Amino acid sequence: MIRAFVAGLVICLLAFGAQAQDVPVPDRSATGGAQTLEDILARQSAMEVDESFRSDNLGDPDSAADITQQLGTLGGQSDPDLWRALRYGSADVTTQARGPASTTLVQDGGMWWLNFRQGPLLTYGGYLLLGTLGLLLLFYLIRGRIRIDGEKTGRTITRFKAIERFGHWLMGGSFILLALTGLISLFGRKFVIPTFGHDSFALIAVASKWIHNNVSWAFMIGLTMVFFMWVLENIPNRHDLKWVAVGGGLFKKGVHPPAKKFNAGQKVIFWSVILLGGSISISGLSLLFPFELPMFAKTFAHMNDFGVSQLLGFGTLPTDLSPQEEMQYAQLWHAIVGFVLMAIILAHIYIGSVGMEGAFDAMGTGEVEEQWAREHHSLWVDEVKAKEAQSQTTPAE
């Protein structure tokens, strides 16, 4: 399921990178084959420009004058020729380093990534978070806090054990830190630098990077714990349809559809966290270890094999990606999925705190008011009471 989600979002990234339109080949005779004003304007308009007139113009060392001539080896390969060769990966680069990408001095394919990161990613990601906060505020103003309708009994039921609460808070607390540090890294140049200056941002950015890279392990551990503890109870059942049909009673007072330990809304949150959190973890590992764990070249290869990219009109996707390109795709993927998950978690935090009376107790102390439990998880309460009655009637051995 994660791979299918990856494939869908990859298509969105490729759509941006491939949205450029072809531009007619201009007449470069007046410039001696060099780029023209039309080339520059087309590139600024995000139109696809055939760069072969530059990538093929790398000079010819064999045609240089003899070194004994007055002007030396003039006429073979100029400095611009050399920089073009470095840019298009045609230069003969030697280095003592033998690691991956050690001979890549200029990576030419990063402009679309930079433009997407500075433009649509910041814009629409910010709109998503602000829009989510606005909708939650509007819901609160219209619906108010969801109160316990019936009379409180004064009795409590154990909803979550200590180990369950630990796994939840380990995952939730680490995610909040990851979200904040990720937003600082992404929005810092645009908002933090103008407000606090370059020096302050440098300190904040270094600290954010360290926190983000190290707290990520706590998030993955918490995610794994939550999955194994709750996966069986989050399998959809027929009661979820009834819950969805009445909106879970969230929009109308006195409506309490039956539900087991987790209702349909909580199951949506659970599977969103597991799938999106798992995807974020995989892309995060790819960013931490780009040479050991590349993920997009293999994903593109599978999409080509199954005909997904061809079906959607993108043709054959590239499967020979440099480590830099792998990191660019992984960074955008990481951020996009992160924005979606942040919006979902904002709604979860709202319901679990100010949005619903008694909800925080479930993860605070683990004990919930019995009346609250009956109104929101009546089938689960019946199961708990049945087990208690059975244990009381069973004779001790």
Side-chain angles (χ1 to χ4, degrees):
M1 296 181 70
I2 292 178
R3 184 177 295 279
F5 183 77
V6 170
L9 198 49
V10 163
I11 289 296
C12 297
L13 292 178
L14 289 175
F16 177 84
Q19 68 180 355
Q21 300 176 356
D22 293 335
V23 60
V25 179
D27 180 11
R28 302 189 180 94
S29 58
T31 61
Q35 70 174 338
T36 65
L37 178 61
E38 288 81 359
D39 292 319
I40 297 174
L41 293 177
R43 193 176 296 109
Q44 291 177 345
S45 301
M47 301 181 72
E48 187 68 34
V49 178
D50 184 2
E51 298 284 351
S52 61
F53 74 96
R54 289 199 291 181
S55 61
D56 296 339
N57 184 19
L58 304 178
D60 181 12
D62 295 332
S63 65
D66 191 86
I67 195 171
T68 59
Q69 298 296 319
Q70 183 178 3
L71 297 180
T73 59
L74 186 68
Q77 190 175 44
S78 65
D79 284 347
D81 294 332
L82 175 59
W83 283 109
R84 280 193 293 269
L86 290 172
R87 174 177 179 177
Y88 295 106
S90 302
D92 183 16
V93 179
T94 57
T95 175
Q96 291 181 335
R98 292 294 181 265
S102 59
T103 60
T104 303
L105 304 184
V106 179
Q107 199 258 325
D108 184 57
M111 288 309 299
W112 75 269
W113 164 78
L114 183 63
N115 292 333
F116 187 92
R117 186 180 186 274
Q118 294 180 342
L121 182 61
L122 293 183
T123 302
Y124 295 114
Y127 285 160
L128 175 62
L129 296 184
L130 292 176
T132 301
L133 290 173
L135 289 175
L136 292 175
L137 177 60
L138 181 63
F139 180 81
Y140 181 80
L141 294 175
I142 295 175
R143 177 66 169 87
R145 194 179 196 196
I146 301 173
R147 302 284 183 179
I148 298 176
D149 289 331
E151 184 177 352
K152 297 180 181 179
T153 64
R155 299 185 299 273
T156 61
I157 297 179
T158 301
R159 180 148 174 80
F160 294 113
K161 299 177 182 179
I163 186 64
E164 294 177 291
R165 301 199 305 278
F166 173 78
H168 172 272
W169 287 116
L170 179 66
M171 179 182 66
S174 59
F175 180 79
I176 291 175
L177 285 175
L178 292 172
L180 291 175
T181 54
L183 290 174
I184 289 173
S185 300
L186 193 60
F187 287 92
R189 289 183 175 273
K190 199 165 187 177
F191 297 102
V192 179
I193 290 179
T195 305
F196 299 102
H198 288 79
D199 293 340
S200 297
F201 173 68
L203 179 62
I204 295 172
V206 170
S208 296
K209 181 179 182 296
W210 187 91
I211 293 173
H212 200 89
N213 290 349
N214 289 281
V215 173
S216 61
W217 302 105
F219 173 76
M220 287 185 278
I221 292 173
L223 185 71
T224 304
M225 291 179 63
V226 165
F227 175 77
F228 284 107
M229 287 188 298
W230 294 339
V231 62
L232 294 179
E233 294 170 316
N234 276 278
I235 297 175
N237 56 57
R238 58 186 177 86
H239 301 291
D240 297 329
L241 298 176
K242 299 178 181 179
W243 192 96
V244 172
V246 295
L250 299 177
F251 303 96
K252 188 175 181 181
K253 187 176 180 180
V255 177
H256 304 294
K260 293 194 174 185
K261 186 168 185 176
F262 294 100
N263 58 43
Q266 291 169 325
K267 290 177 181 179
V268 170
I269 297 292
F270 173 83
W271 288 111
S272 297
V273 169
I274 294 301
L275 295 178
L276 299 181
S279 181
I280 289 177
S281 299
I282 293 172
S283 59
L285 290 171
S286 181
L287 287 169
L288 287 172
F289 308 102
F291 305 129
E292 293 82 3
L293 298 173
M295 60 179 287
F296 280 91
K298 293 181 179 179
T299 301
F300 290 170
H302 288 305
M303 293 173 67
N304 291 336
D305 293 339
F306 290 107
V308 177
S309 57
Q310 294 86 341
L311 182 64
L312 297 177
F314 290 102
T316 302
L317 301 178
T319 57
D320 185 17
L321 299 176
S322 68
Q324 291 86 355
E325 290 174 311
E326 284 280 358
M327 293 184 71
Q328 287 160 4
Y329 280 116
Q331 190 274 329
L332 294 184
W333 177 274
H334 197 73
I336 291 172
V337 179
F339 274 122
V340 176
L341 188 54
M342 278 187 278
I344 294 172
I345 295 303
L346 284 174
H348 176 62
I349 292 174
Y350 166 78
I351 289 295
S353 56
V354 299
M356 177 181 290
E357 180 185 7
F360 180 79
D361 294 335
M363 278 301 167
T365 64
E367 301 288 327
V368 294
E369 162 63 41
E370 184 175 317
Q371 181 60 28
W372 178 91
R374 286 203 173 277
E375 291 181 3
H376 298 287
H377 302 276
S378 58
L379 299 178
W380 171 71
V381 174
D382 293 339
E383 293 175 354
V384 172
K385 293 296 183 180
K387 290 181 180 179
E388 290 179 352
Q390 184 179 5
S391 63
Q392 292 174 359
T393 57
T394 300
E397 294 182 2

